[in-house]
Amino acid sequence: LGVVLLLSGLGAILVSVVGAGAMVPTPAGRVAPADVRTTPPFDNPGVREIEPGKYEAVIIAQIWSFVPNEIQVPAGSEVTFRVTSADVIHGFFIENTQVNAMVIPGQITEVTQKFDEAGEYLLICHEYCGIGHHNMWGRVVVTE
């Protein structure tokens, strides 16, 4: 009975993950935390179009802000976020999307999201990172 319940629970988790399209952000490399701001692409954070309709957003999470704290892309864009931290562990969560990742110092976290609807999407740190944690937010602005 215990094995049946365990397998049923695991099956329910698998079905919900596949059905919801959930993804686990994967480490996309490493960078020395002390050298983040001088190591490409983090020496020039921001958004770049890498091909029509596809963008790369390079972001540094730092005590108590995201650099840059606003990303602008047109509706229908697919954005690959490349995020790292030079100081402490941060969270990277974009409301109303599947983007939910942990940002570990020295590790490059990569996650991709397609933004079909225009609007503003709140970007927040969901990992406590110190006394100013509640002020750590940004936004993704999706234009028509």
Side-chain angles (χ1 to χ4, degrees):
L1 181 61
V3 171
V4 170
L5 288 175
L6 180 62
L7 291 176
S8 297
L10 290 174
I13 291 171
L14 180 64
V15 167
S16 65
V17 167
V18 171
M23 62 189 154
V24 177
T26 57
R30 300 206 47 85
V31 59
D35 299 331
V36 165
R37 288 173 185 80
T38 58
T39 304
F42 298 100
D43 59 342
N44 187 21
V47 181
R48 339 176 178 6
E49 187 171 22
I50 52 177
E51 61 182 74
K54 294 193 178 201
Y55 294 81
E56 176 186 59
V58 176
I59 299 174
I60 300 172
Q62 63 186 20
I63 295 195
W64 297 295
S65 65
F66 293 103
V67 177
N69 74 337
E70 183 173 295
I71 301 296
Q72 291 191 13
V73 294
S77 298
E78 182 178 283
V79 182
T80 298
F81 295 92
R82 294 176 57 84
V83 189
T84 195
S85 167
D87 46 40
V88 298
I89 293 175
H90 295 282
F92 190 78
F93 174 79
I94 302 174
E95 71 172 355
N96 299 320
T97 70
Q98 298 277 342
V99 177
N100 184 353
M102 188 177 242
V103 183
I104 301 169
Q107 177 177 298
I108 300 170
T109 300
E110 189 172 286
V111 63
T112 301
Q113 175 67 39
K114 185 163 185 187
F115 293 93
D116 291 320
E117 296 182 27
E120 288 190 9
Y121 296 80
L122 184 63
L123 164 62
I124 62 169
C125 175
H126 60 69
E127 294 287 335
Y128 182 74
C129 57
I131 196 163
H133 166 72
H134 63 286
N135 291 319
M136 188 168 176
W137 61 275
R139 74 180 119 219
V140 177
V141 177
V142 181
T143 59
E144 289 293 334

